[in-house]
Amino acid sequence: ENEDNLITPAKEKFPLEAYQGVWVFAELRHGAIMNIALELLGEGRKLADTLGVELGAVLIGDKVEPLAQDLFAYGADVVYLVENAELENYRTESYCAAMEKLIKTYKPEILLIGATNIGRDLGPRLAGRVHTGLTADCTVLDIDTEKRLLNQTRPAFGGNIMATIICPDTRPQMATVRPGVMKKATPDFNRTGKIVKAFYPPDIKVRTIVRDIVKEARKIVNLEEAQIIISGGRGVGGPEGFKLLEQVADSIGATVGASRGAVDSGWIPSNHQVGQTGKTVHPKLYLACGISGAIQHLAGMQHSSVIVAINKNPNAPIFKIADYGIVGDLFKVLPALLDTLKEI
Ligand code: FAD
């Protein structure tokens, strides 16, 4: 960045009133719009209506224009489209450069990004580039209409308090939002909108340095989008226990989750953790194996459509929220389930 950019805060260049509109970053995965983007559009629509402004969606990728129609259906009025072969996959530098250019050109008042791995990478760097603040991991958003301020609420101090954070002096007001918390709008596929095509900054140079070649790539964990989750807790007993869960997961098309108890024991990486300090999930089926049901775990999975718990303690709190409970040893129940699945 040039020096002038670094030392001149955005607010001195443009008055706050120059910034208008609510924007949502439409995150893609394998060329498809992620649920979090649709959830942000649902929330963004409400904020935009309260402020009386347009709702924009930022769509970045290669040959992604056909996806704009879905963004309109879920509430966007305008799609800001940046297409380039360089942008086929997410890369910090290139996506950040494209977003920075869009923000500086069109000046949105609010920008919402999913608190996904990509959003957590993009959001802070972008906020730094455009000299504004960012509230990470929000679970509630609303507008102070008098001051045109976005109240950004998130759990703080290990979830013991809810903190509401504002960004009074700079724009855009930026927040990353937890997946699975906001509601998607009912799509209206007759809705249309405006596409604004923006150019990818041609002078951006991206270097990729390969430091390590890993023979076996770790499976992508996408708990927020999973329809079926099988989660293990301390009752799983160790990393080998998770192999059994993986076998069941493979046979029913599930994603493997975990309690913090299992993660803290080092049996499974932290990107599998469900709960207050992990992921918030809402699958059609959540299978909790050897998980006691602590309040912090329930915070992340209690909105699953159907919850099945396997626990050898009949008094385990997980049974209070389970739709179906199996009191038994998971090392007997899960192999029996696998055998039954093979017969089907
Ligand atoms: P345990 O509570 O030890 O339960 C193990 C269960 O397995 C028991 O109910 C036992 O009966 C059962 N069991 C044992 N062997 C078997 C067997 N062979 N077959 C069947 N059942 C068996 N926790 C989270 O999960 N996610 C979070 O995001 C999270 N965030 C937290 C944030 C804060 C600020 C704090 C203070 C805590 C947080 N916790 C979180 C931790 C939480 O309080 C619990 O400690 C944790 O969820 C317990 O994990 P667990 O259920 O696996 O273990």
Side-chain angles (χ1 to χ4, degrees), residues 55 57 68 78 124 140 156 179 214 227 234 239 256 264-265 270-271 282 318 341:
L55 176 62
V78 186
V140 180
V214 184
Q227 297 291 303
R234 255 195 291 255
V256 176
D264 285 353
S265 304
S270 61
N271 54 345
H282 44 103
I318 191 81
L341 288 168

Side-chain angles (χ1 to χ4, degrees), residues 52-115:
V53 295
E54 282 182 330
L55 176 62
V58 179
L59 181 58
I60 300 179
D62 185 29
K63 303 187 184 78
V64 288
E65 187 169 346
L67 299 175
Q69 192 45 54
D70 285 346
L71 299 174
F72 294 137
Y74 280 89
D77 301 310
V78 186
V79 169
Y80 295 90
L81 177 70
V82 192
E83 285 185 310
N84 190 293
E86 280 279 310
L87 299 166
E88 184 181 354
N89 295 307
Y90 175 79
R91 274 194 295 201
T92 311
E93 269 302 325
S94 47
Y95 270 59
C96 202
M99 289 288 282
E100 180 186 355
K101 187 144 196 279
L102 283 175
I103 291 174
K104 286 184 173 165
T105 310
Y106 298 102
K107 301 185 186 58
E109 193 170 357
I110 291 173
L111 170 59
L112 307 179
I113 297 176

Side-chain angles (χ1 to χ4, degrees), residues 9-75:
K11 67 170 175 170
E12 283 174 20
K13 286 190 191 161
F14 301 103
L16 298 189
E17 307 75 63
Y19 291 79
Q20 282 260 325
V22 177
W23 279 17
V24 160
F25 172 61
E27 187 173 333
L28 307 181
R29 186 73 52 89
H30 305 305
I33 302 169
M34 287 184 75
N35 266 328
I36 176 64
L38 306 180
E39 292 164 14
L40 292 181
L41 282 175
E43 185 64 16
R45 186 69 266 164
K46 284 190 249 160
L47 302 177
D49 289 344
T50 309
L51 287 165
V53 295
E54 282 182 330
L55 176 62
V58 179
L59 181 58
I60 300 179
D62 185 29
K63 303 187 184 78
V64 288
E65 187 169 346
L67 299 175
Q69 192 45 54
D70 285 346
L71 299 174
F72 294 137
Y74 280 89

Side-chain angles (χ1 to χ4, degrees), residues 233-234 259-260 273-277 290 292 296-297 311 329-330:
R234 255 195 291 255
S259 72
R260 180 158 158 187
Q273 185 179 316
V274 172
Q276 184 185 304
T277 40
S292 59
Q296 295 90 351
H297 187 79
N311 197 303
D329 184 340
L330 67 94

Side-chain angles (χ1 to χ4, degrees), residues 21-244:
V22 177
W23 279 17
V24 160
F25 172 61
E27 187 173 333
L28 307 181
R29 186 73 52 89
H30 305 305
I33 302 169
M34 287 184 75
N35 266 328
I36 176 64
L38 306 180
E39 292 164 14
L40 292 181
L41 282 175
E43 185 64 16
R45 186 69 266 164
K46 284 190 249 160
L47 302 177
D49 289 344
T50 309
L51 287 165
V53 295
E54 282 182 330
L55 176 62
V58 179
L59 181 58
I60 300 179
D62 185 29
K63 303 187 184 78
V64 288
E65 187 169 346
L67 299 175
Q69 192 45 54
D70 285 346
L71 299 174
F72 294 137
Y74 280 89
D77 301 310
V78 186
V79 169
Y80 295 90
L81 177 70
V82 192
E83 285 185 310
N84 190 293
E86 280 279 310
L87 299 166
E88 184 181 354
N89 295 307
Y90 175 79
R91 274 194 295 201
T92 311
E93 269 302 325
S94 47
Y95 270 59
C96 202
M99 289 288 282
E100 180 186 355
K101 187 144 196 279
L102 283 175
I103 291 174
K104 286 184 173 165
T105 310
Y106 298 102
K107 301 185 186 58
E109 193 170 357
I110 291 173
L111 170 59
L112 307 179
I113 297 176
T116 58
N117 289 342
I118 284 179
R120 285 175 178 168
D121 181 68
L122 177 67
R125 179 177 286 248
L126 189 57
R129 288 269 184 99
V130 298
H131 308 286
T132 191
L134 172 95
T135 306
D137 238 5
C138 293
T139 51
V140 180
L141 299 172
D142 60 66
I143 300 278
D144 174 341
T145 34
E146 206 178 304
K147 297 186 182 138
R148 283 186 91 83
L149 277 179
L150 180 67
N151 289 325
Q152 307 160 49
T153 304
R154 52 154 298 158
F157 294 106
N160 290 314
I161 60 161
M162 296 300 279
T164 297
I165 295 164
I166 52 168
C167 177
D169 298 326
T170 54
R171 295 288 179 272
Q173 303 170 80
M174 280 180 62
T176 62
V177 178
R178 266 197 175 207
V181 177
M182 306 301 180
K183 294 265 166 301
K184 288 187 230 176
T186 310
D188 171 0
F189 290 98
N190 295 320
R191 261 187 114 252
T192 54
K194 194 168 63 177
I195 295 184
V196 174
K197 291 191 183 177
F199 286 103
Y200 177 61
D203 52 346
I204 176 86
K205 290 186 180 58
V206 178
R207 279 190 310 157
T208 303
I209 300 169
V210 178
R211 291 193 189 283
D212 218 352
I213 295 175
V214 184
K215 276 197 186 142
E216 204 183 320
R218 214 198 289 154
K219 272 189 198 160
I220 296 166
V221 185
N222 193 356
L223 283 165
E224 288 105 335
E225 306 257 318
Q227 297 291 303
I228 309 176
I229 294 175
I230 176 166
S231 273
R234 255 195 291 255
V236 165
E240 297 73 31
F242 273 96
K243 298 231 165 74
L244 176 60

Side-chain angles (χ1 to χ4, degrees), residues 229-237 241-242 245 248 257-259 262 286-292 297 308-312 318 330-331 333-334 337:
I229 294 175
I230 176 166
S231 273
R234 255 195 291 255
V236 165
F242 273 96
L245 265 65
V248 179
S259 72
Y286 189 90
L287 193 53
C289 308
I291 293 178
S292 59
H297 187 79
V308 178
I310 306 171
N311 197 303
K312 62 183 185 187
I318 191 81
L330 67 94
F331 293 101
V333 178
L334 291 181
L337 175 65

